[in-house]
Amino acid sequence: MMAIHPTALVDPKANLDSTVEVGAYAIIGPHVSIDAGTKIAAHVVIDGHTTIGKDNHFHSFSSIGGPPQDKKYAGEVTYLEIGDRNLIREFCTFNCGTVQDRGITKVGSDNWFLAYVHIAHDCTVGNHTIFSNNAALAGHVEIGDWVIMSGFSAVHQFCKIGPHAFVGMNTSLTQDVPPFVLLSGNPAQAHGVNLEGLKRRGFSRDQLNAIRQSYKLIYKSGLTLEESKAALDEQMLSLSADAAAQVKLMRDFLDASTRGIVR
């Protein structure tokens, strides 16, 4: 049977799997859907048109699926979608999207969100990320897989952070961050490649060398950004398929950047 504390307020229209656990004084709204194995601790509020996958754990006082903090919002139906096996610690806030964008905020799977993390409207967060305490995303931000956001880091709206990037503590980001880059500061500055993280994830020596060379072409060569793109194209011609795939990830990110990169 579903384990719902008698003090919890679960709307009869909410769709909860029979294995979901709901703690004391939690509140779950009518348009919420929660899949198997998810645990909702005491005092959590889940509202809005929110869909939550399997085996997530929401700790106390999180506010999930609230309306976007956007003056343009006028009560339209928008959405929040959360994947599987995410850890959401105390006082996190995840907001639904806005009709001015895609209308949905999306969070992937296997992420860790520590206390007081804020995911604003229309953000997209990938898989296997770590958000340390008080990390915050403004609206429309895109976060790639395996990104680490250190404590008190903050991201300006519409920024993109590529896969495997590492954002240091107290960093203020107003531009895009290419894949694999380690950076910190206010304003943010690049400080190399996130080598330790890549080694832990099993990147080969060839892949690491290719990524380091790509970083040098973008950040250390004195080339313009367009010249760096051409140099990356040339670099890929001499690499193995696995190594070239990592360079292509960086090259494609440069084309997709809309705010310019931290450089």
Side-chain angles (χ1 to χ4, degrees):
M1 293 180 62
M2 195 182 309
I4 299 179
H5 194 276
T7 62
L9 298 178
V10 179
D11 193 285
K13 296 179 182 178
N15 179 19
L16 275 60
D17 183 85
S18 61
T19 60
V20 171
E21 299 178 17
V22 183
Y25 302 103
I27 300 174
I28 299 178
H31 305 295
V32 174
S33 177
I34 305 176
D35 211 337
T38 292
K39 298 179 180 180
I40 313 297
H43 298 281
V44 172
V45 176
I46 304 178
D47 204 0
H49 288 74
T50 298
T51 301
I52 297 170
K54 298 178 181 179
D55 299 318
N56 296 283
H57 191 178
F58 294 84
H59 285 251
S60 296
F61 304 104
S62 294
S63 177
I64 308 298
Q69 298 177 109
D70 189 316
K71 286 187 175 181
K72 298 185 296 297
Y73 182 67
E76 302 93 346
V77 174
T78 57
Y79 301 89
L80 169 65
E81 180 181 296
I82 298 173
D84 304 325
R85 299 175 302 278
N86 294 290
L87 175 70
I88 297 92
R89 293 301 303 255
E90 297 83 0
F91 296 99
C92 288
T93 52
F94 294 6
N95 294 159
C96 291
T98 63
V99 295
Q100 287 77 24
D101 197 342
R102 295 162 296 183
I104 185 169
T105 302
K106 299 188 72 172
V107 174
S109 299
D110 300 297
N111 300 293
W112 274 41
F113 300 98
L114 304 188
Y116 291 95
V117 166
H118 177 62
I119 308 295
H121 59 87
D122 303 293
C123 287
T124 299
V125 177
N127 306 308
H128 302 287
T129 67
I130 298 174
F131 284 64
S132 293
N133 300 67
N134 295 91
L137 306 182
H140 317 280
V141 169
E142 298 179 18
I143 303 291
D145 296 344
W146 297 100
V147 167
I148 294 178
M149 301 290 299
S150 298
F152 295 92
S153 56
V155 185
H156 191 281
Q157 60 188 12
F158 294 103
C159 283
K160 300 178 178 68
I161 301 181
H164 302 281
F166 185 102
V167 179
M169 184 176 65
N170 292 320
T171 298
S172 176
L173 283 172
T174 59
Q175 291 181 295
D176 298 338
V177 180
F180 312 116
V181 172
L182 184 153
L183 74 165
S184 64
N186 186 6
Q189 293 183 328
H191 296 290
V193 173
N194 181 19
L195 285 177
E196 190 61 37
L198 299 180
K199 290 177 183 177
R200 291 176 181 177
R201 293 165 208 147
F203 279 65
S204 69
R205 183 183 296 270
D206 284 348
Q207 289 174 318
L208 293 175
N209 287 338
I211 291 167
R212 293 175 71 179
Q213 180 60 28
S214 297
Y215 178 88
K216 290 178 181 178
L217 290 173
I218 297 170
Y219 287 94
K220 300 293 186 180
S221 64
L223 300 175
T224 67
L225 195 57
E226 290 303 314
E227 290 170 341
S228 295
K229 292 178 183 180
L232 293 175
D233 290 336
E234 185 175 348
Q235 179 194 6
M236 284 188 279
L237 297 176
S238 61
L239 297 174
S240 67
D242 287 344
Q246 310 310 318
V247 178
K248 187 175 187 302
L249 193 62
M250 299 185 78
R251 175 66 174 82
D252 291 346
F253 185 92
L254 297 182
D255 279 340
S257 175
T258 55
R259 291 188 57 83
I261 65 168
V262 174
R263 199 167 184 232

